[in-house]
Amino acid sequence: MGNSLAISPHPEATALGNRLLAEGSSAAEAAVAMGAYLSVAMPHFCGLGGDAVWMTTDAGGRVRSLTGIGHAFAFADRISQIEQRGPRSILTSAAAVSTWAAALSLSGVSAPDLARLLGPARQAARDGIEVTPSQEFWRAMRAPESATWLGFSRYNEASTGSLLKQPALAQSLEVLMEEGLHSFYTGTLAERIRADLADIGVVVAADDLKATSCEVGDGLSLPYRNVTLHAPPLPTQGVTTLEIMGILDRLGRPETAVDNYHLMVEAVKCAFLDRQQIDDSGQAAHLPSLLLSAEHLTSRANEVDRARAREWPHVFQAADTVYFAARDQAGRCVSALQSTYFDWGSGCCLDRSGIIWHNRGASFSLKAGPNRLAPGRRPFHTLNPGIALKDGKPWLLYGTQGADGQPQTLTVLLRHCIDLDMAPAEALAAPRFLLGRTFSDSRDTLKLEPTGFEAELLEKGHDISPLSPLSPLAGQAGIIRIENDLPQGGHDPRKSL
């Protein structure tokens, strides 16, 4: 692969990305192709009807954030109850496709060959993809409720190894190839989507789709040891990941593995106490400068008891996501996440377009305060891929699936890559933790993969619920590290397939 590399959670998407890079395509082109393919091959985790957040950089270390978060529809001011699934959970536009367009434009691709980038995804949707154990797992988990989901018969009948065809989705991808990515918001596909949504009682104005955009900016950054960490801006929890690392920076390097995990867990608790303030309002605009200030980070670090764990008073949030990344021959990099929020999103597959629409609006609140639902508002977002620069150049691309678990998994990855100088494969295999409730354990405990020093953590007051080694609950992460102009990396040993 030389000096280029692509990674993703699906082997065919990864092979597609690496083939394009080998042919001289940009990191953005390879990432768009992978994102489109993953939308077909992993419909339980992502799709055209979801959101996406990207971080990009050129070879010189100019980092940009691409925040593709759909806004609340105009009818949001008439909503009196937010539901988790079904048509009434469809409250926001879907901005993933807008990030594809923004990434290509930002990389200088003014006339992208969409047939080349989206063609493999279109063919996979038309001819069929082999259903993976991951899709089977999430299909089986939701079987009791998915029988009533709209348009889900083909997914409910798909078992591991069978061929899943998505003809309507193939036609949608073909429209994007022929008309351009804007068609999702202003063209033939937009009209098809609006008709689909109206059929299930979600009346969306043309202006609601037209107004969808990807916000391009500088993002957030924080020095840590000898690198600079970059994260996406509000309303994502990128600031939370940076706050955790800033607290750890002030706590110093750990002397033992026990201390390392204790300090990581306690830093996460500190930062999560601040996370509830995050939203897209003007009132929250000051949060990054406050939470990442030297005074605040030092204050939070001083709260950490090196000998004793504090209680964990936070509610667990679930979501599912895919991480993919690419580094091209010119040194340009992409670190990206795309998601339909919950596994299978809203539980609504639109008939004409074949698109599974997301339920990210379900993360809004109807109470006065942060993250309140209102027309045009963007919800709090868990997606926060990252890029680390060393000596001003791209050094580390990283990200993970896992909602509340994302900052926690990223903390483990960054500590092991930076403080312990581990290679990507070693860092990805290191034991992870997850604070709070999960699908399988409703207790607010420290879920922990085997470390060998659980007894010492128990002595410090951690209430531990064991996870199996390399547990799927610990997130699906990916890392690319660039040393001497050569990238190395991979995706999680906690296999999603």
Side-chain angles (χ1 to χ4, degrees), residues 281-312:
S281 67
Q283 292 90 331
H286 72 288
L287 277 178
S289 59
L290 170 64
L291 300 183
L292 302 180
S293 68
E295 295 79 10
H296 183 77
L297 294 173
T298 300
S299 175
R300 282 300 194 196
N302 289 338
E303 294 176 15
V304 173
D305 187 334
R306 293 176 179 272
R308 197 72 186 166
R310 77 192 297 174
E311 293 184 1
W312 173 245

Side-chain angles (χ1 to χ4, degrees), residues 474-486:
Q476 296 291 319
I479 301 174
I480 291 178
R481 188 176 74 179
I482 301 124
E483 300 278 7
N484 300 318
D485 199 37
L486 294 175

Side-chain angles (χ1 to χ4, degrees), residues 211-231:
T212 306
S213 65
C214 173
E215 183 179 284
V216 179
D218 293 330
L220 307 174
S221 65
L222 187 78
Y224 179 82
R225 308 294 191 236
N226 62 337
V227 305
T228 302
L229 306 176
H230 290 260

Side-chain angles (χ1 to χ4, degrees), residues 380-451:
F380 165 75
H381 236 273
T382 53
L383 304 187
N384 73 122
I387 290 176
L389 304 183
K390 180 184 285 187
D391 299 324
K393 301 291 181 65
W395 176 64
L396 205 66
L397 316 178
Y398 52 91
T400 183
Q401 169 256 10
D404 279 0
Q406 285 191 31
Q408 303 180 53
T409 294
L410 295 184
T411 298
V412 174
L413 297 180
L414 292 171
R415 287 282 271 193
H416 285 83
C417 285
I418 300 170
D419 290 74
L420 301 179
D421 195 29
M422 284 189 179
E426 293 179 279
L428 288 166
R432 296 181 194 160
F433 61 86
L434 180 62
L435 285 157
R437 304 172 187 177
T438 66
F439 293 115
S440 59
D441 189 336
S442 62
R443 295 172 296 165
D444 282 320
T445 55
L446 174 62
K447 314 299 188 296
L448 184 67
E449 293 181 329
T451 63

Side-chain angles (χ1 to χ4, degrees), residues 2-35:
N3 64 347
S4 66
L5 180 64
I7 62 170
S8 88
H10 194 283
E12 292 177 15
T14 302
L16 170 61
N18 280 306
R19 176 173 62 78
L20 290 171
L21 292 173
E23 293 171 356
S25 294
S26 67
E29 290 172 301
V32 167
M34 288 193 293

Side-chain angles (χ1 to χ4, degrees), residues 360-374:
R360 181 63 67 169
S363 68
F364 275 120
S365 170
L366 291 177
K367 298 178 181 179
N371 207 39
R372 180 180 172 85
L373 175 65

